[in-house]
Amino acid sequence: MTTEEREQAKSMRKKGMSFREIEDLTGIPKSTLQRAFPKDNTLDGDDDTDDIDNDGLEGSALRRHQHERDHQRQLARIDLEKQRLTNEKQKLDNEAFALRLKETELEQKEEEVVIKRVKRKGTLLAKYKILLGELLDNAVDSSWERDEVDEFIERCQDLKERILIITSQMGSDEEELAIWHNLNYLIEFVEEVMEEQTGNLIEFDLTKGERRYIESLKLIDFDEEHTDDDDDDDDDDEDDDDDDDDDDDDEEDAKPVVRKKGR
């Protein structure tokens, strides 16, 4: 029997309740109560009727005495019910607090996941910008060793695999992202240039149109969406006094080697 149960039983005894009544209300065995309150054992008869101080009481006095005892027992039952409800409320409050704490932990974890995802997107976008910059800076009247071209393509493929992972985690479609289609274009463009040459050195010399198109593949945000808009084939800003050969070259320059296409 706990200290709380002992105090509760003691209070109920003072209100005139018998061991059996206390057992019925609290669930504490009568034998345990008797051991806890040995001095009260003489007050409880074998039938546990608690005929305390009833000797010599007759008539109205006896009825008043019994009424008082019944009233005290009723108060004890009310107090016990109040305590039970208080304990139940405390239990529910504790469970509600635990749920709020769990919700807070889940929200924090979700925020951490979002922050990590934003950082990963930023890292992938930075890698893409590096690849695009390398091609723009080293593909005008330049020579690449075949191994360097292979390495460039592998880096593009690796970046695509990382994009697949993060889009899978987000439950989104990589085909909707501009960065995905742009990488496909870079790979196709470089592969086509390499296939046209057989030596160890691969010559790159972007035309004005090709360079303008590749520059148009620059992105600010990882989540920029891919659009199927056709690219302009003509350059409307050419000077009218260019000779015919220059006009022909400009028309050719405005068309990339590999057209951008969705996959």
Side-chain angles (χ1 to χ4, degrees), residues 24-40:
D24 291 341
L25 291 173
T26 65
I28 302 173
K30 177 182 176 182
S31 58
T32 301
L33 294 168
Q34 288 174 329
R35 287 194 300 271
F37 305 101
K39 293 182 180 180
D40 291 350

Side-chain angles (χ1 to χ4, degrees), residues 6-261:
R6 182 183 179 86
E7 291 300 319
Q8 188 180 50
K10 183 178 181 180
S11 175
M12 297 172 75
R13 285 295 289 172
K14 287 182 179 179
K15 293 178 181 179
M17 299 186 69
S18 68
F19 286 146
R20 190 174 300 282
E21 287 174 320
I22 296 174
E23 178 184 21
D24 291 341
L25 291 173
T26 65
I28 302 173
K30 177 182 176 182
S31 58
T32 301
L33 294 168
Q34 288 174 329
R35 287 194 300 271
F37 305 101
K39 293 182 180 180
D40 291 350
N41 289 338
T42 56
L43 301 179
D44 275 7
D46 293 338
D47 59 355
D48 207 16
T49 56
D50 276 2
D51 295 329
I52 302 174
D53 297 331
N54 284 351
D55 294 342
L57 294 177
E58 297 181 356
S60 60
L62 178 59
R63 287 194 294 273
R64 284 196 301 272
H65 178 71
Q66 290 176 338
H67 177 74
E68 180 64 23
R69 290 190 62 187
D70 290 343
H71 179 66
Q72 291 294 331
R73 289 170 179 172
Q74 184 63 27
L75 290 177
R77 291 187 178 93
I78 292 174
D79 289 343
L80 186 64
E81 182 64 16
K82 286 181 179 179
Q83 185 61 44
R84 186 189 69 79
L85 292 175
T86 299
N87 293 341
E88 185 67 21
K89 181 179 181 300
Q90 184 62 46
K91 180 182 177 182
L92 293 175
D93 289 343
N94 291 340
E95 292 176 352
F97 176 77
L99 286 174
R100 289 195 298 272
L101 185 61
K102 188 67 175 178
E103 289 176 355
T104 301
E105 291 176 353
L106 290 175
E107 289 175 357
Q108 290 176 345
K109 289 182 179 179
E110 289 177 357
E111 289 178 1
E112 291 174 359
V113 169
V114 171
I115 292 173
K116 289 181 179 179
R117 189 170 292 163
V118 170
K119 289 182 177 179
R120 289 179 62 191
K121 286 181 179 181
T123 300
L124 297 179
L125 181 62
K127 290 179 179 293
Y128 169 77
K129 290 181 177 180
I130 291 173
L131 288 169
L132 199 63
E134 287 181 3
L135 184 60
L136 288 170
D137 294 341
N138 300 283
V140 177
D141 194 18
S142 301
S143 297
W144 293 24
E145 292 185 3
R146 188 170 292 272
D147 289 343
E148 291 177 332
V149 178
D150 289 335
E151 180 187 2
F152 182 88
I153 294 173
E154 288 177 4
R155 288 163 60 197
C156 290
Q157 295 288 8
D158 178 71
L159 188 53
K160 286 184 60 180
E161 291 177 4
R162 294 176 184 272
I163 293 173
L164 276 176
I165 292 173
I166 194 170
T167 53
S168 175
Q169 292 173 344
M170 294 188 303
S172 57
D173 186 1
E174 69 280 355
E175 293 285 347
E176 297 178 356
L177 297 176
I179 189 173
W180 177 264
H181 290 272
N182 294 355
L183 283 169
N184 285 336
Y185 171 80
L186 293 181
I187 292 172
E188 291 177 4
F189 175 79
V190 173
E191 285 180 340
E192 182 167 325
V193 173
M194 186 169 60
E195 288 174 0
E196 292 175 349
Q197 304 180 48
T198 58
N200 185 51
L201 290 179
I202 308 299
E203 300 293 335
F204 280 88
D205 193 11
L206 294 177
T207 64
K208 293 179 181 179
E210 291 167 351
R211 184 174 181 83
R212 282 196 300 269
Y213 182 77
I214 293 175
E215 286 179 342
S216 73
L217 302 182
K218 292 180 179 179
L219 299 175
I220 299 175
D221 188 359
F222 177 90
D223 293 316
E224 288 186 43
E225 295 183 356
H226 170 67
T227 58
D228 292 325
D229 296 338
D230 291 336
D231 299 308
D232 293 335
D233 291 337
D234 298 321
D235 188 358
D236 296 332
D237 295 330
E238 295 297 332
D239 294 330
D240 294 336
D241 57 349
D242 287 344
D243 56 33
D244 293 338
D245 291 338
D246 289 339
D247 289 340
D248 293 338
D249 290 340
D250 289 337
E251 291 178 2
E252 182 179 355
D253 288 346
K255 299 179 181 179
V257 174
V258 178
R259 300 294 292 174
K260 179 178 171 185
K261 47 190 174 183

